[in-house]
Amino acid sequence: DKLTELIDILTEAGELTGRSAVRSEIHSKGYFHRAVHVWVVDPDTGDLVLQKRHPEKLSHPNCWDISAAGHVSSGTSSRAAAAEELGEELGIVLSPEDERLQFQFTFLQHYVLNEGTFLDNEFCDVYIVEVPSLDISTLTLQEEEVVEVKKIHHKALYEDYKNKVEGPLSVSSLPPHREYSCLGLVLPADNSWDQFEKLFKIFRSKYP
């Protein structure tokens, strides 16, 4: 049960404290914790898979988001969590040791939502999983988490991100946490934009 699962509390440096808390406490108190971001890529085309979040999600309902993502449960490794989220949300089954689960980097993300009641201080471990000739109609979606998936080329997604930031709704007119739910995309928080630039640089290098 996602509501009662325990999540390890980390230090500001990302080290284990030996304490854990349920998800609601993690976010109400802003404890540092770890999560995984898994990007599914068709290496033949450079297309990424995006998922549309369920309308009842506490954060970013009805927004297009990373292929699969989630918290790392207490006592679970990052790779195991990445494989678990991928299987649960999209039905792509990999073992944590599978070489297709390619770790890229970790970044720290901060943001505040829901009038200050949802605090996220999250160390995000980023993974890429290559699925050649991916047919998204064959994916098995987790109904309570994901309502839809689509494919989009990484260059098109990058331009979409940039247009949302620099377009008619300018940064200055939007909330400082930079999670633009109203625009239909989960955009990087202000402190993590450089890390998303880093990710798209990897995409451009691997899938030109």
Side-chain angles (χ1 to χ4, degrees):
D1 187 334
K2 295 289 187 181
L3 295 177
T4 58
E5 74 171 331
L6 291 174
I7 298 168
D8 287 324
I9 299 172
L10 307 180
T11 68
E12 293 185 14
E15 302 295 330
L16 290 169
T17 63
R19 297 183 295 132
S20 60
V22 296
R23 178 189 301 251
S24 60
E25 186 179 2
I26 288 286
H27 289 296
S28 66
K29 296 186 177 179
Y31 290 136
F32 288 87
H33 61 285
R34 190 168 302 280
V36 290
H37 291 181
V38 185
W39 291 88
V40 176
V41 186
D42 185 334
D44 300 325
T45 63
D47 287 340
L48 308 174
V49 174
L50 299 185
Q51 64 156 274
K52 193 171 188 180
R53 294 167 64 83
H54 194 279
E56 295 183 3
K57 295 287 286 183
L58 288 176
S59 60
H60 319 299
N62 284 320
C63 287
W64 290 102
D65 201 1
I66 301 159
S67 311
H71 295 89
V72 178
S73 299
S74 180
T76 302
S77 71
S78 170
R79 291 187 66 87
E84 180 180 2
E85 295 295 339
L86 193 61
E88 288 182 351
E89 296 186 359
L90 300 181
I92 299 175
V93 179
L94 298 179
S95 73
E97 296 78 25
D98 197 307
E99 292 182 356
R100 289 174 292 178
L101 190 61
Q102 305 170 32
F103 174 75
Q104 303 300 312
F105 58 89
T106 299
F107 70 96
L108 178 57
Q109 178 171 266
H110 307 280
Y111 60 81
V112 180
L113 293 176
N114 303 341
E115 299 180 344
T117 62
F118 188 100
L119 312 175
D120 204 32
N121 291 306
E122 194 168 79
F123 287 91
C124 304
D125 292 344
V126 180
Y127 294 86
I128 290 176
V129 173
E130 294 181 349
V131 182
S133 305
L134 175 62
D135 179 359
I136 59 174
S137 68
T138 65
L139 299 178
T140 303
L141 307 185
Q142 187 178 19
E143 293 182 0
E144 63 270 27
E145 296 279 342
V146 183
V147 295
E148 187 181 348
V149 292
K150 69 177 180 180
K151 291 169 72 173
I152 182 172
H153 195 275
H154 66 81
K155 292 180 181 178
L157 180 60
Y158 181 77
E159 289 305 314
D160 206 355
Y161 272 132
K162 296 292 283 187
N163 289 338
K164 291 292 189 286
V165 172
E166 299 172 355
L169 287 174
S170 67
V171 170
S172 61
S173 69
L174 290 166
H177 51 70
R178 287 241 194 137
E179 298 290 335
Y180 306 155
S181 301
C182 59
L183 301 184
L185 277 170
V186 179
L187 296 188
D190 199 28
N191 64 290
S192 59
W193 178 257
D194 288 346
Q195 303 302 322
F196 274 71
E197 291 276 9
K198 180 178 179 178
L199 176 63
F200 281 104
K201 184 176 180 180
I202 292 171
F203 288 148
R204 288 192 293 272
S205 173
K206 292 171 70 71
Y207 317 110

